[in-house]
């Protein structure tokens, strides 16, 4: 029987389903975090403008993105802020935030492996990527770059799930350390939840998978949506919520924990608006070895005897 390519199996929520050619690519020692030269700044603006125009057509015509509740961002029009999202689009996650925050430049915190993407990897630094470094000296520059962008009243994008799972309809666990940015900088945060709906008229029906609770995805009992049988990709609806502020009455660690919990709960609730599963993710369950079968005892002599 042919394996269903629309079902993917995972053991942990940190598995990678999308990898670049140079997955081990690291941040170069001479990486420029904040361009200060005039020529570099002009080039970066031109590249970003071209990318924004591309994102306009790509998001609206190809991905069919609709954005809901974007008006809440106006509450922080006079300050920089962080935007946290679920990581479900290999290409779209680089462009959807540009349409969400159309009034300002966005800068995206991302793994250094993105720099290894052919062609695009060379342009990402000009488009606003903030790659996560591996050494302490570069980490200081990384933090200074984030502080600079927030101080410039820009938007910094964070995907706390870290690993992209294409078209996933749930919300995976968030590490609390992902929320140290707004806590340390005392900055507001918003969350951006990408959800998926039926492509509409002409879709090839619904594949009647049994509805069931997702195990361990933070869904808190939410039923998984039905999976689309045809090849048409779902429509996308993006929900914006916030702002969320650090609680100054708590310790630094407790502030991170509270922000993490509040945004995860909000995004989990929003994810219930997904009604169409283009790819289904199932937890991989290893089959027990013969010697581990219940009620079976294998003696040294090789004679099997049943246990009561």
């Amino acid at each position: 029987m042919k394996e269903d390519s629309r079902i993917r199996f995972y053991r942990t929520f940190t598995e990678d389903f999308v990898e670049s050619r140079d997955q081990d690519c690291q941040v170069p020692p001479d990486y420029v975090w904040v361009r200060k030269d005039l020529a570099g700044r002009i080039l970066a603006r031109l590249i970003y403008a071209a990318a924004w125009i591309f994102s306009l057509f790509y998001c609206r015509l190809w991905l069919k993105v609709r954005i809901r509740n974007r008006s809440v961002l106006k509450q922080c029009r006079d300050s920089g802020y962080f935007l946290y999202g679920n990581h479900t689009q290999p290409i779209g996650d680089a462009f959807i935030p540009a349409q969400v925050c159309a009034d300002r430049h966005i800068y995206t915190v991302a793994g250094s492996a993105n720099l290894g993407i052919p062609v695009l990897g060379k342009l990402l630094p000009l488009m606003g990527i903030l790659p996560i470094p591996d050494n302490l000296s570069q980490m200081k520059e990384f933090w200074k770059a984030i502080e600079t962008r927030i101080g410039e009243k820009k938007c910094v994008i964070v995907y706390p799930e870290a690993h992209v799972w294409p078209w996933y309809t749930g919300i995976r666990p968030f590490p609390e350390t992902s929320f140290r940015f707004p806590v340390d900088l005392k900055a507001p945060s918003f969350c951006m939840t990408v959800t998926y709906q039926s492509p509409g008229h002409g879709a090839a029906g619904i594949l009647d998978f049994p509805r069931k609770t997702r195990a361990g995805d933070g869904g808190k009992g939410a039923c998984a949506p039905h999976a689309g049988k045809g090849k048409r990709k779902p429509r996308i609806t993006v929900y914006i919520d916030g702002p969320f502020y650090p609680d100054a009455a708590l310790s630094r660690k407790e502030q991170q924990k509270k922000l993490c919990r509040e945004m995860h709960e909000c995004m989990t609730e929003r994810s219930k608006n997904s009604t169409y599963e283009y790819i289904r993710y199932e937890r991989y369950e290893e089959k027990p070895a013969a010697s581990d079968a219940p009620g079976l005892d294998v003696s040294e002599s090789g004679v099997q005897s049943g246990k009561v």
Side-chain angles (χ1 to χ4, degrees):
M1 181 180 295
K2 186 178 179 180
E3 184 179 355
D4 192 342
S5 61
R6 300 272 293 281
I7 299 179
R8 298 185 181 180
F9 296 91
Y10 66 93
R11 289 182 174 85
T12 69
F13 288 112
T14 58
E15 290 190 36
D16 279 310
F17 287 99
V18 177
E19 295 184 351
S20 66
R21 291 185 182 179
D22 189 1
Q23 190 68 13
D24 297 323
C25 181
Q26 296 184 350
V27 181
D30 59 348
Y31 188 82
V32 180
W33 296 94
V34 178
R35 293 183 175 272
K36 298 181 179 179
D37 60 296
L38 181 60
R41 293 172 65 181
I42 292 175
L43 179 60
R45 288 192 177 188
L46 291 174
I47 295 296
Y48 185 85
W52 191 92
I53 294 172
F54 171 80
S55 73
L56 180 65
F57 291 96
Y58 179 73
C59 293
R60 293 190 180 184
L61 301 181
W62 182 256
L63 292 180
K64 298 179 176 60
V65 173
R66 297 178 297 177
I67 302 172
R68 297 287 183 261
N69 204 37
R70 179 165 43 188
S71 61
V72 298
L73 296 174
K74 294 180 181 179
Q75 299 178 55
C76 296
R77 67 177 65 185
D78 296 325
S79 67
Y81 56 79
F82 292 90
L83 182 63
Y84 286 78
N86 51 325
H87 207 3
T88 62
Q89 286 292 312
I91 299 177
D93 283 346
F95 296 107
I96 291 175
Q99 293 303 306
V100 172
C101 308
D103 65 332
R104 64 187 67 198
H105 199 304
I106 65 168
Y107 295 87
T108 305
V109 175
S112 58
N114 290 280
L115 298 175
I117 300 174
V119 183
L120 183 60
K122 302 295 182 182
L123 297 176
L124 287 177
L126 296 171
M127 292 168 58
I129 188 176
L130 295 170
I132 302 173
D134 296 317
N135 61 70
L136 185 59
S137 61
Q138 287 185 317
M139 186 61 72
K140 292 180 180 178
E141 295 300 317
F142 169 73
W143 270 97
K144 286 174 60 178
I146 292 178
E147 185 177 10
T148 297
R149 299 312 182 189
I150 292 296
E152 293 173 345
K153 301 180 181 180
K154 307 301 185 183
C155 175
V156 175
I157 312 298
V158 182
Y159 291 105
E161 294 170 328
H163 308 273
V164 59
W165 284 21
W167 309 99
Y168 184 62
T169 57
I171 303 297
R172 288 166 279 159
F174 296 166
E176 294 173 5
T177 52
S178 294
F179 296 86
R180 61 180 297 190
F181 304 122
V183 169
D184 286 357
L185 297 179
K186 298 178 176 59
S189 301
F190 294 86
C191 57
M192 169 184 67
T193 312
V194 175
T195 64
Y196 298 101
Q197 291 76 37
S198 168
H201 298 294
I206 296 296
L207 183 60
D208 291 323
F209 284 122
R211 292 175 69 82
K212 62 183 182 179
T213 300
R214 299 189 190 97
D217 68 349
K220 295 185 178 180
C223 289
H226 286 174
K229 187 178 181 180
K231 294 182 178 180
R232 293 187 62 186
K233 292 182 172 64
R235 291 181 293 108
I236 295 176
T237 303
V238 180
Y239 293 92
I240 311 301
D241 291 285
F244 300 88
Y245 291 93
D247 188 344
L250 301 176
S251 66
R252 179 171 175 267
K253 186 174 182 180
E254 288 299 317
Q255 289 183 62
Q256 293 177 202
K257 185 176 181 179
K258 183 180 179 182
L259 274 178
C260 178
R261 182 182 68 253
E262 289 177 342
M263 277 194 260
H264 191 276
E265 289 176 352
C266 180
M267 294 176 70
T268 296
E269 187 64 27
R270 285 295 196 186
S271 72
K272 295 177 182 178
N273 290 298
S274 286
T275 60
Y276 189 90
E277 228 173 15
Y278 183 68
I279 295 177
R280 165 154 290 186
Y281 289 83
E282 299 280 0
R283 186 180 289 276
Y284 181 82
E285 296 180 1
E286 296 187 15
K287 296 180 180 180
S291 59
D292 296 332
L296 192 63
D297 179 31
V298 182
S299 64
E300 294 182 0
S301 61
V303 179
Q304 297 179 348
S305 59
K307 281 186 177 180
V308 178

